[in-house]
Amino acid sequence: MARLKCNIDTKGARLRRRGGILILALAAGLALAAWDTRIAWLWYVAAGVAVSGGFILFEGCNGWCVLRAMGFKTKV
């Protein structure tokens, strides 16, 4: 696998790590709500949120942003 070239600074990486952790916590809350209420579609929402949070956490831990890698300019 090719190494990811660092394209964000430490402030952006820290923000992405914190955001990823918060989104994963939200996914855990949604999963608990799905478990309690037995609402099937809520499991899919929780899974989607968890995948998103995991990817954002991955970006933060590697100092890499997919949007910047595609040429878009981001503020952080």
Side-chain angles (χ1 to χ4, degrees), residues 24 37 40:
L24 286 172
T37 60

PDB file of all heavy atoms in Angstrom, residues 24 37 40:
ATOM      1  N   LEU A  24     -17.797   8.820  16.377  1.00  0.00           N
ATOM      2  CA  LEU A  24     -17.880   7.428  16.806  1.00  0.00           C
ATOM      3  C   LEU A  24     -18.719   7.287  18.078  1.00  0.00           C
ATOM      4  O   LEU A  24     -19.458   6.312  18.233  1.00  0.00           O
ATOM      5  CB  LEU A  24     -16.480   6.851  17.017  1.00  0.00           C
ATOM      6  CG  LEU A  24     -15.709   6.538  15.746  1.00  0.00           C
ATOM      7  CD1 LEU A  24     -14.274   6.152  16.089  1.00  0.00           C
ATOM      8  CD2 LEU A  24     -16.389   5.439  14.958  1.00  0.00           C
ATOM      9  N   THR A  37     -34.843   0.324  21.072  1.00  0.00           N
ATOM     10  CA  THR A  37     -36.140   0.514  20.412  1.00  0.00           C
ATOM     11  C   THR A  37     -36.466  -0.563  19.390  1.00  0.00           C
ATOM     12  O   THR A  37     -37.589  -0.619  18.914  1.00  0.00           O
ATOM     13  CB  THR A  37     -36.169   1.879  19.703  1.00  0.00           C
ATOM     14  OG1 THR A  37     -35.128   1.919  18.735  1.00  0.00           O
ATOM     15  CG2 THR A  37     -36.016   3.013  20.699  1.00  0.00           C
ATOM     16  N   ALA A  40     -35.060  -1.338  13.095  1.00  0.00           N
ATOM     17  CA  ALA A  40     -34.056  -1.964  12.225  1.00  0.00           C
ATOM     18  C   ALA A  40     -33.266  -0.936  11.411  1.00  0.00           C
ATOM     19  O   ALA A  40     -32.043  -1.040  11.295  1.00  0.00           O
ATOM     20  CB  ALA A  40     -34.727  -2.967  11.299  1.00  0.00           C
TER      21      ALA A  40
END
